[in-house]
Amino acid sequence: MSSAGETASGKLDCMSDYEAMPESGAAATGHLHECATERGDPSFAQLKSAGLDSRAVSLIVEATIGARPRIVHWGESLPDSTPEELSLLAFAQSPLGSATRLIHGSLSNEPGTGIATAPGLLVQREGTAWTVDLRVHSVAKEGQATLVITCTDPRCGITATYRFTLCPVTGVLSAQTVVANTGESGLAVEWCAAPVLPVDRRLEQVTGFSGRWAGEFQQETTERFRGTYMRENRAGRTSHDMFPAILLSGPCTSETHGPASAVHLAWSGNARLRIDTAQDGRAFLQAGELLLPGEIALQPGESYASPLLVAAMSESGLGPTSQALHAHVRRNILDPRTNDKPRPVHYNTWEAVYFDHDEARLKDLANRAAEVGAERFVLDDGWFGSRRSDAAGLGDWFVSKDIYPGGLRPLADHVRSLGMEFGLWFEPEMVNPDSDLFRAHPDWVLGGEGIEHVPFRNQLTLDLTKPEVTDYLYRCIADIVEEAQVDYIKWDMNRDTVHPASGERGAMHRQTHAVYALIDALRERFPDLEIESCASGGARADYGVLQHTDRVWTSDNNDALDRQAIQRSASHFLPLSIMGSHVGPRRCHITGRVLSMDMRVASAIVGHMGMELDLEDETAEDRATLAAGIALYKQHRGLLHSGRFHRIAMPEPFNAVSVSAVNGDETIVSCAMLGSLPTSLPPRLPIPGLTPDRRYRVKLVWPQAPEFPGTRSIYEEADLAGEGLQVQGAALGRLGIQLPLMHPATCILLHCKAEH
Ligand code: DGJ
């Protein structure tokens, strides 16, 4: 069972203020104040964090001993307002025709509070003990940035611990609920959301993330309505179609203006996100693990920890929420062992050879990859057991001697002799029924007794809750990593797990933790091993898995036009440094679209660049262009992976984004024209993130030899390829630079460097 220790908060450096005011009532008295409704003598607990760009953030929780806890304020700090004032400012009547006292939400809106909205905590003891009413028992801090509010309900035999951390630098909130069974009999937990967040009434728009294989991170925006907006994921992985996140915005919110918040559930299993807008207009957001019936049954003394809710808010639009979340992922989620190293250029074999492995050919591909500048060679699916197609061999993690008579070492050594790291594909959680593993252990898979397995890429999900299964996987993977000196694992997962039962009990919770634990065990044994999370593309790209891995495979779709949209949308939560982004073949295998090397390179640079194509099929000219693009990525990856990311507001058919150095010294801008232009002249491109009163030199750094149709353009006029255009940051930011006429499906990269 999970315990309170499973948080990401332990990684935070703490600098924020903590105040629990007054401390006088610190001991539980058992006397139940109704301060929330009668304004008796409330106590407040507070966290304050710096926040990016001096936008300090604070969280204020009314936490009076013996009373129900309640979030009074989460948002940009109001430094001259006291918690008491903010609480009074929010004092609302009880609506006519309703309860005699206004019933406030608590941190779980649990049934015993009497609030007539969806509970954030549903438990029961054989049909009793569900009327939970949690009252503050203690308030404490852990380090400087974490507030821990412990609440109890002795009648129901429950303790709930709410842990809030405000990242001292980014102001990002991480919050978790841990519920413990303090009673004397078993307690079933049916739903335990992370702390319930009250929704600011200005946030009238809700954006969810839907998608499909090869079309991840599609946004759907709707007006928040009275009733329930709910998204559930039952795929047994983060899923293509329900990335666990929500954006909230006002009707006039843009990238740079207006109230906004971005909320994500750091979890790779089943999930539920909901916003309940009550008839009185108040609204609450809940995010938690979607539990199967009977999945969590706590014995006395056991506890269950919700996944972490990670959220950012801003009064200046959606841009700052992404910037804060990116900084949070880089500072607090990713492992510094690998995060601090420049992200090497990948060469991945999948679209070049698929299952058709041949050692000599792969060595030749490695030579060609090194020639264009690859720094890591990843051998994809097809190197083991009888895996000559996706129908057989999965689970037999032994190098196929027919193809690699000397094992993988000769290929790996060849790769290393070319100065590249060696990466290897695994799909540990899965098995083909046509495999030695399944023949030997048909009982090692998840599924309900008597329930027909649902076919899904000819594979079943192994039951990682069985120690013998994880032992087998650990041994196989560790042996190969050791033998071939593997530097990198592409950890794939190619099916939904729709019957996640182990011994008849729902097991998705335990399965998800078992995957995390297996990855952690391997990383402990091999501290320099890097791991990429892939699931048929981006179906497992969440902050939960990123606490254990180093990169995500954003999508199987390498079509540069589609990637522009996928990556723009993913950027609401994922920083460029972890977004795998590859140059695909000239004719995309998934969409059939033919795109120039210039376009493919430009799109791959704005991410963690790699390539996934048969280099023999590319012309010498395109290979030279690719090599130049890789060199450009290497030159700018420091900025791309550490700077502030901006989605620039541009009319269709443009997609423009930029990354600016935190100190304002430089910016790189990508502007793609995805389709045909409705007007005969293109618009101007504003460049955010520059210091207004500094002068910058603007150059066009990609493509190398652009072909802009029509008469002489700004490219020649301002000598963008030579000396560059020298201009004030304010002019570039506010007015922008005129775009040249561009062909559809082309992309330019501009670089702005401050003059000293
Ligand atoms: C799905 C992944 O998303 C692809 O990149 C590739 O690794 C295949 N699986 C291999 O089976």
Side-chain angles (χ1 to χ4, degrees), residues 221-238:
T221 300
T222 182
E223 292 286 314
R224 191 161 54 74
F225 49 87
R226 275 181 280 168
T228 301
Y229 169 91
M230 182 151 80
R231 305 219 55 219
E232 289 190 342
N233 167 34
R234 296 172 187 271
R237 54 179 174 172
T238 321

Side-chain angles (χ1 to χ4, degrees), residues 734-747:
R734 206 173 310 146
L735 309 175
I737 180 171
Q738 173 62 49
L739 286 171
L741 280 167
M742 292 163 68
H743 287 301
T746 59
C747 181

Side-chain angles (χ1 to χ4, degrees), residues 147-193:
L147 176 65
V148 183
I149 299 176
T150 305
C151 299
T152 55
D153 179 344
R155 190 176 48 85
C156 291
I158 287 162
T159 295
T161 305
Y162 302 97
R163 177 173 280 101
F164 297 92
T165 301
L166 268 188
C167 170
V169 176
T170 65
V172 167
L173 174 71
S174 303
Q176 183 179 46
T177 305
V178 180
V179 60
N181 179 5
T182 54
E184 286 170 4
S185 59
L187 181 80
V189 179
E190 290 168 6
W191 171 238
C192 174

Side-chain angles (χ1 to χ4, degrees), residues 364-665:
D364 183 53
L365 278 174
N367 296 343
R368 289 171 188 269
E371 256 168 49
V372 293
E375 297 165 304
R376 179 182 279 156
F377 180 92
V378 181
L379 184 66
D380 211 289
D381 198 355
W383 55 266
F384 52 92
S386 58
R387 184 78 168 172
R388 302 294 80 80
S389 75
D390 64 14
L394 200 55
D396 298 337
W397 299 111
F398 304 98
V399 180
S400 178
K401 293 286 178 197
D402 305 342
I403 306 169
Y404 300 97
L408 289 177
R409 195 59 192 261
L411 176 62
D413 284 348
H414 179 76
V415 164
R416 270 187 290 273
S417 74
L418 295 165
M420 294 185 286
E421 294 180 11
F422 181 67
L424 193 59
W425 181 94
F426 285 92
E427 192 178 1
E429 297 143 77
M430 297 288 158
V431 65
N432 284 132
D434 183 2
S435 66
D436 293 342
L437 183 72
F438 187 75
R439 281 183 281 276
H441 301 286
D443 56 328
W444 275 15
V445 295
L446 289 174
E449 186 72 41
I451 294 180
E452 211 179 315
H453 286 299
V454 177
F456 215 118
R457 211 194 186 205
N458 309 307
Q459 60 194 53
L460 304 174
T461 310
L462 287 169
D463 182 351
L464 269 64
T465 71
K466 288 183 163 45
E468 57 274 32
V469 177
T470 44
D471 286 353
Y472 165 79
L473 293 171
Y474 176 84
R475 266 188 286 108
C476 292
I477 299 171
D479 284 354
I480 290 165
V481 168
E482 197 144 275
E483 152 60 20
Q485 298 287 291
V486 174
D487 301 294
Y488 185 84
I489 288 179
K490 177 177 176 185
W491 187 296
D492 207 345
M493 199 268 207
N494 285 307
R495 68 158 292 162
D496 288 351
T497 299
V498 286
H499 293 137
S502 175
E504 292 304 295
R505 287 199 81 91
M508 210 57 239
H509 173 82
R510 285 182 291 147
Q511 175 85 357
T512 309
H513 278 296
V515 176
Y516 292 161
L518 178 58
I519 297 174
D520 288 350
L522 287 161
R523 285 172 69 108
E524 198 172 319
R525 164 104 176 257
F526 303 102
D528 295 327
L529 181 69
E530 289 185 49
I531 298 184
E532 166 175 0
S533 173
C534 169
S536 317
R540 188 153 64 189
D542 61 86
Y543 292 0
V545 83
L546 281 172
Q547 288 174 33
H548 310 272
T549 55
D550 306 284
R551 181 201 210 231
V552 298
W553 181 222
T554 321
S555 176
D556 276 353
N557 189 343
N558 288 322
D559 177 312
L561 283 189
D562 285 357
R563 268 304 184 109
Q564 290 271 342
I566 292 170
Q567 293 182 197
R568 182 181 180 97
S569 192
S571 74
H572 280 283
F573 294 90
L574 305 183
L576 297 183
S577 57
I578 57 105
M579 236 193 258
S581 167
H582 291 179
V583 172
R586 183 170 180 76
R587 183 185 181 85
C588 174
H589 292 185
I590 286 174
T591 64
R593 193 150 37 205
V594 175
L595 291 168
S596 69
M597 182 57 86
D598 281 341
M599 179 66 191
R600 286 177 279 159
V601 163
S603 303
I605 283 180
V606 187
H608 176 186
M609 189 180 190
M611 56 196 134
E612 188 162 337
L613 73 175
D614 187 347
L615 288 163
E616 284 179 48
D617 283 352
E618 301 291 316
T619 62
E621 192 187 338
D622 278 352
R623 283 203 301 270
T625 304
L626 177 56
I630 288 172
L632 188 70
Y633 163 79
K634 288 178 183 171
Q635 190 183 337
H636 294 292
R637 65 184 153 193
L639 169 63
L640 286 163
H641 297 166
S642 69
R644 297 258 163 91
F645 179 83
H646 307 267
R647 284 174 299 272
I648 303 174
M650 288 286 283
E652 284 187 6
F654 292 95
N655 177 36
V657 297
S658 71
V659 182
S660 53
V662 175
N663 61 10
D665 274 358

